């Protein structure tokens, strides 16, 4: 039970008590590495913010003719709208915990609240990644809820499906890393499925 009353002193009254504290096991926060932070100029305020996007235009690989005018293209503009939202939590630090704890209760609260903020944003980003029309599922599934990889082998991710996604990213002209590679985040169960593939396992053995 939490030490918030006048009788729960069992954990505080000790012959020797370490003034350091340990954070409990926590989930890995990794979705922030896919985020592209964009600061609204001039402290713009409102419930949403729009960024203008100009299309790059179709490539012109044909050689120009010096006796003819260059064929022009229309400059097309669009925009992306981001709805702003406020997220956060709060911790209640009691006078009793501050007075009886050998460790710094306010420092503990700051670390817990800071990690809670990062984990909350991670949940928001994870949900945003699962939205939109450009979603591709193993075994031609149309929704994540229809995947039953535990009982259906065809629903499990394969190296061929990963190669298909890599091809789609290049076709859609998604930004690549400097070495021309792409990166993805996978669930531990998906990682297990990939390791069951013979070609993936042999690659690790041979290298």
């Amino acid at each position: 039970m939490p030490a918030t009353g006048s009788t729960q002193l069992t954990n505080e009254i000790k012959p020797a008590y370490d003034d350091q504290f340990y954070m409990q096991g926590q989930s890995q926060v990794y979705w922030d590495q896919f985020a592209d932070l964009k600061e609204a100029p001039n402290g713009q305020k409102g419930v949403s913010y729009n960024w203008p996007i100009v299309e790059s235009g179709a490539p012109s690989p044909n050689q120009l003719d010096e006796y003819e005018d260059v064929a022009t293209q229309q400059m097309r503009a669009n925009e992306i709208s981001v709805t702003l939202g406020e997220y956060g939590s709060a911790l209640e630090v009691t006078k009793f915990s501050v007075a009886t704890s050998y460790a710094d209760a306010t420092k503990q609260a700051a670390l817990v609240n800071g990690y809670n903020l990062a984990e909350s944003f991670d949940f928001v980003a994870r949900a945003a990644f699962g939205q939109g029309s450009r979603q591709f599922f193993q075994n031609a599934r149309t929704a994540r809820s229809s995947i039953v990889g535990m009982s259906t082998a065809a629903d499990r991710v394969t190296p061929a499906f990963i190669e298909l996604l890599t091809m789609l990213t290049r076709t859609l002209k998604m930004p690549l890393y400097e070495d021309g590679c792409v990166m993805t985040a996978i669930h531990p169960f998906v990682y297990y499925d990939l390791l069951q593939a013979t070609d993936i396992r042999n690659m690790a053995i041979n290298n």
Side-chain angles (χ1 to χ4, degrees), residues 133-187:
S133 58
R134 293 181 177 178
Q135 298 188 49
F136 304 93
F137 299 97
Q138 177 77 13
N139 197 21
R141 297 291 189 180
T142 57
R144 186 181 305 171
S145 58
S146 62
I147 298 176
V148 285
M150 294 294 292
S151 57
T152 306
D155 284 354
R156 300 167 192 166
V157 174
T158 61
F161 182 72
I162 298 296
E163 293 175 354
L164 173 62
L165 295 181
T166 304
M167 182 271 295
L168 291 175
T169 58
R170 299 179 184 278
T171 303
L172 297 174
K173 299 180 180 180
M174 293 180 60
L176 304 176
Y177 283 89
E178 294 181 356
D179 56 358
C181 294
V182 296
M183 183 179 66
T184 183
I186 61 177
H187 192 275

Side-chain angles (χ1 to χ4, degrees), residues 17-23 26 91 93 97-98 101-115:
Y17 194 91
D18 194 352
D19 62 353
Q20 302 295 323
F21 55 89
Y22 299 92
M23 299 291 288
Q26 300 165 333
L91 290 176
V93 181
S97 62
V98 174
S101 177
Y102 284 79
D104 189 346
T106 56
K107 183 179 180 180
Q108 297 178 58
L111 290 176
V112 171
N113 201 39
Y115 181 81

